[in-house]
Amino acid sequence: MNNKLIIDKLLELHNGDQKQLDVILSDTNRLIVEAPAGYGKTKTLISKIAYLILTKQVPVNKKILALTFSVNAAYNMKNEVVNILPTLLLNNENLKTSDMEGKVYVSNFHGLCRRILKKYGYLLSKELKNIDQLINIDDSSENNLNKFNINLLEDEKKLVKDISIASKEYKEKYIKENYLQYNNIIKTKYIEKGVISYNSIITLTIELLNKYKNIRSFYTKFFPIIIIDEFQDTNILNWTFIQLLINKESKLVFLGDSLQRIYGFIGAIPNLIDLTLELFDMEYIALEKNYRFENNDEMLLLEKNIRENAKKPINPSIKKDSNVNFKLYKNQIDEAFGIVNQIRELQSKNIKCKIAILVKQRGPNINLILEALKYNDIKFFFGLFTDEDQRYIRFHETCLNKFYSIFIEENRNLSKKNIEFYLNEIKKEYNNVSDAMNNSLFKLLHSFLEKIVNEFKGLQNSDKYRIIMDTFMNKSLRQNLDILDDNVIVTTVHGAKGLEWDYVILPDMEKNQFPNYNGLCNRNNCIFGDYCIFSVNENNEVEFLEELSVFYVAVTRAKKEVFFTASQRSFVREDFQPETNISCLLRLPGINIKQTNETVSV
């Protein structure tokens, strides 16, 4: 297949989108792509991989390394590669499907490090040969130390805790000075108890590559092309590791969106795209066409204007205001039942439409919404658990242990009968206790396993087992919320990142709620009235952009439309419902709220 035929096919596939084609056809060795939500990033990425392979830019016996932040995103990408890549440009019978698939290794950071440690980790500790049998734990929790009888001295406990904090707070110097001592604790006191920490999977790999230059050299040559998706979410441990795989000859393609960096609280490096542009002297291309909202002028304008506020927070360039749907209620109870009415209206037009109610954090106001949904017999999926929720963490650990004993040790396949047996064994662990969170986690687990069996048919069984185990190890079940058959989902904005629904409802668009008190409302830069206006300046710009990123992610989870609601009084308790103001985020330059004051009959 000659290059002209390849380029002609790409022109056809991408409808002449010049920026997408610039990315795909770029011959630069170092490229950063700004890829906002809905701009065709996945299609562009798969075509880029196909172009690199078909134009023979991947040397014989070498692979493209494609990495992403989450387990779910990594294996969705792998599935795209397996199912779409072979048919994307294959009009040549001489080019085998296996030739295409075998040129790409897709993983998340922990998955790649785990693979490296499984192969060469014995050089650090002989037990790392059996890394898949080690239980993965979060070592920032002292409960885990007690649970697995890991006896640490006080100074060792402090170091373990400080490494965890340093990885979340971007303390690069501290990690570089102390990670070897931390690794020694893992090797001598964790692994002997049959456990390994989440962070140490990365830090042990960093030690291995630093200590054994021949192994590092092998991987830099084995992966001559490195692609990283969701690059803005990279933390300091991942960034330290990936730099060890880069040499002067490495081709780099990093895709991300600086406005979707909402994981700063768990260590995503600030301004990483700008830092990397300078560090590696990279070419920068920004995708420009929003395909998600291309037939919805108001949503298209809203997305554009939020991004303009991010480009120039102090003085954004706004050409036309976007009109948004906003309803103001007398109190939180009315708002809750107003949301019920909104759901009913949407479902009256399409009973199968998917609706997400996204919240900044759980609180009394959200509990009222849940009660209103129950009162009106609206079925919904309860997805308000967080990565730090201990019940959520323990559920993954239970799932992992049972999966290993049933499917790995007993060598069972992923048949419907075996999956049902496995699910029943999990329920027995919880004594068949039924509550909102247990029911949701069981349902999410079931849907996830069905997805692996039904949608990932092209993958080998070993890959399917790896996906499942990686998901449990990384506590990533909630990244599959959008595959549920429930028509209404209630979850957090952070839990919804990377997912999408037909409609999104954003309640509590009020002062101290969205943004919350710790985000912006505790700063003295506000003008108050019926609504808040936040005055952005050089001193508060960073905090403003963090809140704007969360707002942007929330808005762009909608494929068709987003609805905003608020109430004039916040619900703290029955006898205390203070007055509040409409959120400053709805009074950003370029946003015009079509306000209606709603009265609801309960």
Side-chain angles (χ1 to χ4, degrees), residues 541-554:
E541 187 174 319
V542 172
E543 290 81 2
F544 170 76
L545 287 173
E546 288 178 353
E547 289 298 313
L548 188 67
S549 294
V550 179
F551 183 59
Y552 177 79
V553 167

Side-chain angles (χ1 to χ4, degrees), residues 198-386:
Y198 187 71
N199 285 332
S200 70
I201 292 172
I202 305 290
T203 58
L204 286 166
T205 311
I206 292 170
E207 179 183 356
L208 180 73
L209 297 181
N210 276 324
K211 189 173 182 180
Y212 296 95
K213 304 300 182 184
N214 58 327
I215 297 175
R216 177 182 175 183
S217 177
F218 166 77
Y219 280 107
T220 57
K221 293 174 182 175
F222 187 63
F223 296 126
I225 302 172
I226 298 175
I227 297 173
I228 302 180
D229 191 18
E230 300 294 340
F231 182 61
Q232 77 281 345
D233 290 329
T234 307
N235 68 20
I236 186 59
L237 293 182
N238 295 339
W239 184 228
T240 302
F241 158 66
I242 202 62
Q243 288 182 84
L244 293 172
L245 298 188
I246 297 172
N247 61 23
K248 291 180 180 180
E249 288 75 38
S250 300
K251 290 185 179 181
L252 308 176
V253 183
F254 299 160
L255 302 94
D257 180 10
S258 53
L259 193 49
Q260 292 189 71
R261 179 190 166 271
I262 65 172
Y263 288 118
F265 68 99
I266 57 171
I269 300 171
N271 302 316
L272 182 58
I273 290 177
D274 292 336
L275 292 170
T276 308
L277 275 169
E278 183 177 347
L279 179 64
F280 291 120
D281 190 24
M282 302 183 81
E283 180 183 339
Y284 173 88
I285 298 176
L287 301 183
E288 292 182 347
K289 186 172 181 181
N290 187 325
Y291 290 91
R292 183 174 298 173
F293 302 140
E294 64 178 329
N295 297 316
N296 186 330
D297 290 342
E298 289 298 344
M299 285 296 293
L300 194 65
L301 189 55
L302 174 60
E303 190 266 351
K304 179 182 178 181
N305 288 348
I306 294 175
R307 295 196 72 86
E308 289 297 331
N309 276 274
K311 288 178 184 176
K312 295 181 179 179
I314 297 175
N315 186 25
S317 176
I318 303 295
K319 295 180 180 178
K320 181 182 178 182
D321 285 353
S322 169
N323 297 309
V324 301
N325 293 305
F326 173 71
K327 293 181 179 179
L328 180 66
Y329 296 88
K330 180 175 64 176
N331 55 45
Q332 291 286 344
I333 295 176
D334 279 6
E335 183 180 356
F337 282 88
I339 289 171
V340 168
N341 292 340
Q342 182 67 74
I343 292 171
R344 283 176 169 165
E345 181 182 339
L346 292 171
Q347 291 182 335
S348 69
K349 298 174 183 177
N350 180 3
I351 192 63
K352 295 183 179 180
C353 70
K354 299 292 185 179
I355 303 167
I357 302 171
L358 302 184
V359 303
K360 188 73 183 294
Q361 66 277 311
R362 189 169 182 182
N365 299 340
I366 305 309
N367 291 338
L368 290 176
I369 295 173
L370 299 179
E371 290 303 316
L373 293 173
K374 293 175 186 175
Y375 182 82
N376 286 274
D377 293 323
I378 292 181
K379 304 297 182 185
F380 67 94
F381 181 87
F382 175 88
L384 290 174
F385 32 79
T386 68

Side-chain angles (χ1 to χ4, degrees), residues 363-407:
N365 299 340
I366 305 309
N367 291 338
L368 290 176
I369 295 173
L370 299 179
E371 290 303 316
L373 293 173
K374 293 175 186 175
Y375 182 82
N376 286 274
D377 293 323
I378 292 181
K379 304 297 182 185
F380 67 94
F381 181 87
F382 175 88
L384 290 174
F385 32 79
T386 68
D387 288 343
E388 290 76 35
D389 192 306
Q390 288 302 307
R391 288 180 66 187
Y392 179 73
I393 292 170
R394 285 196 296 273
F395 185 80
H396 283 79
E397 292 171 349
T398 300
C399 290
L400 177 61
N401 293 338
K402 283 292 179 184
F403 186 85
Y404 191 85
S405 63
I406 292 172
F407 288 96

Side-chain angles (χ1 to χ4, degrees), residues 1-15:
M1 196 171 186
N2 65 48
N3 287 5
K4 184 180 185 306
L5 286 174
I6 295 170
I7 293 172
D8 287 345
K9 182 66 174 178
L10 288 168
L11 284 167
E12 178 188 339
L13 285 169
H14 291 267
N15 301 309

